[in-house]
Amino acid sequence: MTYGEELKEKLFSKKTNGWLKLSDELKKEIFDYNDNYMKFLNESKTEREIVTSAKKIAEENGFKDINEVEHLNVGDKVYYINKEKSMYLAVIGEEKMENGVNIIGSHADSPRLDLKPNPVYEDQELAYFKTHYYGGIKKYQWTTIPLSIHGVIIKENGEKVTIKIGEDENDPIFTITDLLPHLAVEQQNSKLREAIKGKDLNLLVGSIPFDEDISENVKLNLLNILNKKYGIVEKDFSSAELEVVPAYKARTQGFDESMVAGYGQDDKVCVYTSLTAMMQLKNIKKTAVCIIADKEEIGSMGNTGMQSQAFDTFMSYLLNKTGENRVNLLEKVYCNSKMLSADVDAAVDPIYASVSDKMNAGYLGYGIALNKYTGAGGKYDASDANAEYIAEVKGIFDKNNIKYQVSELGEVDIGGGGTIAYILANKGIDVIDCGVPVLCMHSPYEVTSKYDVYTAYKAYQAFWNA
Ligand code: MN
Ligand code: MN
């Protein structure tokens, strides 16, 4: 080696692909872990289903509902479910919470189409459900793909009907139609974002008329089927939360089977990796807290979003039940606490590489991505992590041989994004975004690297064990 080469080796930062020089054993562990991750994705496509699955996993690992626990001791494991759509979990550490807790927070909601309160109509003897899209979607991606309907309907008598249709092989699916190319000259000449209008994202759900010469008989036949199947009438739709999501399953992608393609990986990948990491914790020093938030994709508002007071309530429960609480202690706990905002990063897509700064972007297969800041247009609205804190997190990862990359979401002035990071940072907590790089984020079929998914699981464990 020449002196220059030696010096370069010493001074330049170097990134390597995570798949290089992996043992067969570790590779198998990565693939096995991802098989379970894909199963989790297939069973839980909405925030309600995520909370149900997470509760099951937590209970199997000895977690108890905090409402049923009077006193908390070191090593105790509890969860709190907020209106069936968001969830917090904790493992009580040896140290007092006053010294700070270690938090990892992800979100369970993903972009989708929600049914409108009055969705049912008939046009030209075809029956439809109207939708209003949820979160940032590219509307054209949601036409002509198989869709399923998930959610709940609360009937007049208070009975809650749970709906999940389109997932089983024997279920019918639904689609949103699009124009044939032969007649789409005008549509194809329009701007991509205007070619499919939000108001036209209507789900085709029926075409057989009720067997009687009567107006709206296709709608009548549909409502009759729904009444027999679910015991509902049309006005019940106005007290419902019905979400339209891709019906297809998460699958392994690539000849080398290195990737996961699946709906809702933003941010269910961080939900699964942080949740399963928490299940492995034993004898930890600081109390570990896991957040599974709702409504991140629409600004974290509402009583299941991260802006709600509900998280403070959970933290107060922990302080009360460990017997540690006193006036204004929660504020101090926050100022001493550390957090990984576990949310996905935009991976460099070589086909659209110009939107990324290749020196400051996340890559598939290069491990977990730390985003110092998000925001847009001059870091506007960003939670910008402190240098000292980043050094601390990097130190934890280095010590535990966790492969990580430090990146930002997109080239300057191209766009940007946000997570729940700023909400916790505003409480005084040290926060950095830390998650899995994703290709085609917010599309009905997002792509991740199995290596990065597994690395996130290991990274979150290391953070809580530090
Ligand atoms: Mn996200
Ligand atoms: Mn998102």
Side-chain angles (χ1 to χ4, degrees), residues 72 92-101 287 316-327 329 333:
L72 285 172
I92 308 300
E94 287 160 20
E95 275 183 39
K96 290 228 173 260
M97 287 173 64
E98 183 170 350
N99 299 338
V101 301
T287 293
S316 296
Y317 278 0
L318 294 181
L319 288 172
N320 289 334
K321 295 189 180 201
T322 50
E324 198 184 330
N325 213 358
R326 56 174 199 270
V327 175
L329 183 60
V333 171

Side-chain angles (χ1 to χ4, degrees), residues 159-403:
E159 188 195 331
K160 181 187 281 184
V161 183
T162 301
I163 310 268
K164 187 174 185 175
I165 184 159
E167 294 295 333
D168 191 279
E169 287 302 311
N170 301 311
D171 281 353
I173 54 88
F174 313 93
T175 66
I176 292 162
T177 56
D178 191 6
L179 264 181
L180 59 168
H182 320 61
L183 299 180
V185 176
E186 197 188 316
Q187 184 197 44
Q188 302 231 66
N189 284 332
S190 61
K191 284 186 185 153
L192 193 57
R193 69 178 307 152
E194 288 158 12
I196 306 288
K197 293 183 175 56
K199 71 175 180 60
D200 293 334
L201 292 174
N202 301 322
L203 206 60
L204 181 56
V205 293
S207 66
I208 299 179
F210 186 79
D211 218 348
E212 196 182 304
D213 190 15
I214 176 174
S215 71
E216 295 187 279
N217 52 8
V218 176
K219 174 175 167 177
L220 178 61
N221 190 51
L222 169 72
L223 285 173
N224 193 33
I225 291 168
L226 293 176
N227 184 260
K228 282 182 183 153
K229 192 171 166 70
Y230 302 114
I232 57 166
V233 295
E234 187 178 10
K235 71 173 177 187
D236 291 332
F237 279 102
S238 58
S239 48
E241 285 178 16
L242 294 167
E243 305 178 7
V244 177
V245 299
Y248 35 59
K249 304 260 177 282
R251 301 282 291 267
T252 282
Q253 179 164 342
F255 285 111
D256 54 12
E257 305 192 8
S258 60
M259 295 166 278
V260 172
Y263 163 72
Q265 297 199 71
D266 174 8
D267 187 32
K268 293 166 177 71
V269 65
C270 295
V271 171
Y272 185 73
T273 48
S274 59
L275 182 72
T276 49
M278 175 163 263
M279 298 304 120
Q280 304 303 319
L281 300 182
K282 273 184 205 99
N283 308 321
I284 46 170
K285 284 192 209 86
K286 293 210 167 162
T287 293
V289 175
C290 181
I291 296 172
I292 302 174
D294 181 31
K295 297 287 182 283
E296 191 278 339
E297 296 294 356
I298 57 167
S300 298
M301 301 301 220
N303 63 5
T304 58
M306 207 56 230
Q307 309 245 26
S308 132
Q309 214 57 43
F311 180 64
D312 293 343
T313 304
F314 173 69
M315 292 299 290
S316 296
Y317 278 0
L318 294 181
L319 288 172
N320 289 334
K321 295 189 180 201
T322 50
E324 198 184 330
N325 213 358
R326 56 174 199 270
V327 175
N328 296 339
L329 183 60
L330 184 59
E331 285 88 332
K332 186 175 178 190
V333 171
Y334 282 148
C335 288
N336 287 335
S337 290
K338 319 225 177 268
M339 178 183 181
L340 299 180
S341 165
D343 208 341
V344 295
D345 183 32
V348 172
D349 184 335
I351 301 176
Y352 303 100
S354 65
V355 302
S356 305
D357 169 6
K358 285 186 210 129
M359 284 169 58
N360 287 284
Y363 289 83
L364 229 57
Y366 277 70
I368 194 156
L370 292 164
N371 277 11
K372 186 179 189 298
Y373 47 84
T374 52
K379 297 190 175 182
Y380 199 82
D381 269 342
S383 162
D384 200 343
N386 300 316
E388 294 83 349
Y389 181 54
I390 304 175
E392 199 180 323
V393 173
K394 280 165 66 182
I396 294 170
F397 291 170
D398 283 332
K399 209 174 114 193
N400 290 279
N401 289 317
I402 307 290
K403 196 179 255 302

